[in-house]
Amino acid sequence: MSLTCIIVDDEPLAVSLLETFVGRTSGLELLASFTDSVEAVEAIREKKPDIVFLDIQMPDLNGMDLAHIVPEETSIVFTTAFKEYAFESYEVSAVDFLLKPIRYNKFLMAVEKVRKRRAAAVPPTLPDGGPAVADSLLSSAEGGQGGHGRGPLSSSCFIRVDGELRQLPFASILYVSGMKDYVMFYLEGERRPLITHLTMKSVEDMLPADRFLRVHRSYIIALDHIRKVDRNDCIYIGEEVIHVTEAYAEAFHRFLSARTFGK
């Protein structure tokens, strides 16, 4: 399936890189490139590209605002150096979120996501308007009936990503973070989290209680991935520092006490 695209980024070097990527990608045609987001609006409306590669931080009209006026049939792939925009990108039904510096393999994966959705005539959002990324946390790959009832052999769960089930080993999960009705799974060795439309309570019930512990209203941590805990009850895990709040402190201190030598 052939796809058309438009690039919008106020950084000429970023535009040049994306143009190079488009030129290397079979079945992808570049209709236009813009460093001025305001100028890009009319072209996007007229040409109706299959994909818009869209930077977020731009003067006059930022990418998030522009995304709200992109035609519904056009897929949005955000390109930005700021990972804190990840949540907002899914709120406007972006197909993907590419962090700069962008690698070609990630670019190609984003294009293939668009291609698969169009070939299957699948809309880019879930029925309730949530992100078309991880949308369901299912049962363990090896049996079990929930976080407090899993058998000792349970080692993974499945996450539905773009209509496919991805097996997620518990050992790969660093921590889980929640915001409103969305949950992010941060995995060892991966820069971007998997985002799912779930509640923290449902994730807490699903994950095995002997390996994961909720330490904050918005955080569940993998106990085996803790690097250190400082005197202020701040947990260092992955690249994150997570503070244990009072509501969860007692359970966390019991865990520490059971595993600490030289008390």
Side-chain angles (χ1 to χ4, degrees):
M1 175 187 292
S2 180
L3 299 173
T4 59
C5 68
I6 284 178
I7 297 167
V8 186
D9 196 311
D10 65 330
E11 299 177 5
L13 288 177
V15 170
S16 178
L17 177 65
L18 289 172
E19 288 176 340
T20 300
F21 286 172
V22 173
R24 293 172 57 187
T25 305
S26 176
L28 184 60
E29 177 189 354
L30 180 63
L31 299 180
S33 298
F34 296 90
T35 55
D36 188 319
S37 55
V38 176
E39 291 181 2
V41 173
E42 194 60 33
I44 293 171
R45 286 174 171 168
E46 287 182 2
K47 298 178 182 293
K48 293 182 172 60
D50 296 310
I51 310 172
V52 173
F53 293 101
L54 184 58
D55 188 20
I56 294 180
Q57 281 203 334
M58 294 184 290
D60 298 324
L61 180 66
N62 68 43
M64 204 61 66
D65 291 336
L66 196 158
H68 286 285
I69 57 178
V70 167
E72 186 176 348
E73 61 269 27
T74 296
S75 298
I76 298 169
V77 175
F78 280 116
T79 60
T80 180
F82 303 95
K83 65 180 180 180
E84 56 266 28
Y85 288 113
F87 266 120
E88 291 182 69
S89 74
Y90 290 114
E91 288 177 3
V92 294
S93 304
V95 170
D96 212 340
F97 181 90
L98 302 179
L99 273 177
K100 297 177 180 178
I102 299 169
R103 293 179 293 173
Y104 179 62
N105 67 317
K106 297 294 185 181
F107 174 90
L108 195 59
M109 288 169 63
V111 172
E112 288 307 306
K113 282 184 181 181
V114 177
R115 201 186 306 276
K116 286 180 180 179
R117 287 180 182 176
R118 289 181 175 272
V122 177
T125 58
L126 300 174
D128 62 357
V133 286
D135 60 3
S136 178
L137 182 66
L138 301 181
S139 62
S140 159
E142 300 172 1
Q145 301 297 323
H148 296 277
R150 291 185 181 277
L153 295 180
S154 298
S155 62
S156 65
C157 60
F158 282 93
I159 290 182
R160 191 178 299 278
V161 182
D162 296 328
E164 300 176 345
L165 291 177
R166 169 173 171 174
Q167 187 167 197
L168 187 61
F170 294 138
S172 70
I173 301 173
L174 295 174
Y175 61 94
V176 182
S177 175
M179 181 178 292
K180 295 183 180 179
D181 295 325
Y182 296 98
V183 171
M184 297 188 293
F185 287 82
Y186 287 84
L187 309 178
E188 191 171 28
E190 296 194 21
R191 292 196 307 169
R192 291 188 56 217
L194 293 177
I195 301 180
T196 176
H197 191 261
L198 285 172
T199 65
M200 287 291 284
K201 181 63 168 63
S202 62
V203 175
E204 185 179 14
D205 290 342
M206 177 62 66
L207 295 174
D210 62 332
R211 303 182 66 171
F212 295 88
L213 185 65
R214 193 166 183 175
V215 296
H216 186 285
R217 184 167 176 261
S218 300
Y219 287 96
I220 298 170
I221 62 164
L223 299 171
D224 288 344
H225 283 291
I226 296 173
R227 289 190 285 112
K228 68 176 181 178
V229 181
D230 69 20
R231 66 184 63 186
N232 297 313
D233 275 352
C234 289
I235 300 168
Y236 293 73
I237 188 167
E239 297 181 359
E240 189 75 5
V241 179
I242 300 168
H243 181 250
V244 182
T245 56
E246 185 176 351
Y248 302 95
E250 183 178 349
F252 182 66
H253 291 156
R254 283 200 305 267
F255 158 76
L256 286 181
S257 178
R259 293 203 187 182
T260 301
F261 289 104
K263 300 176 184 179

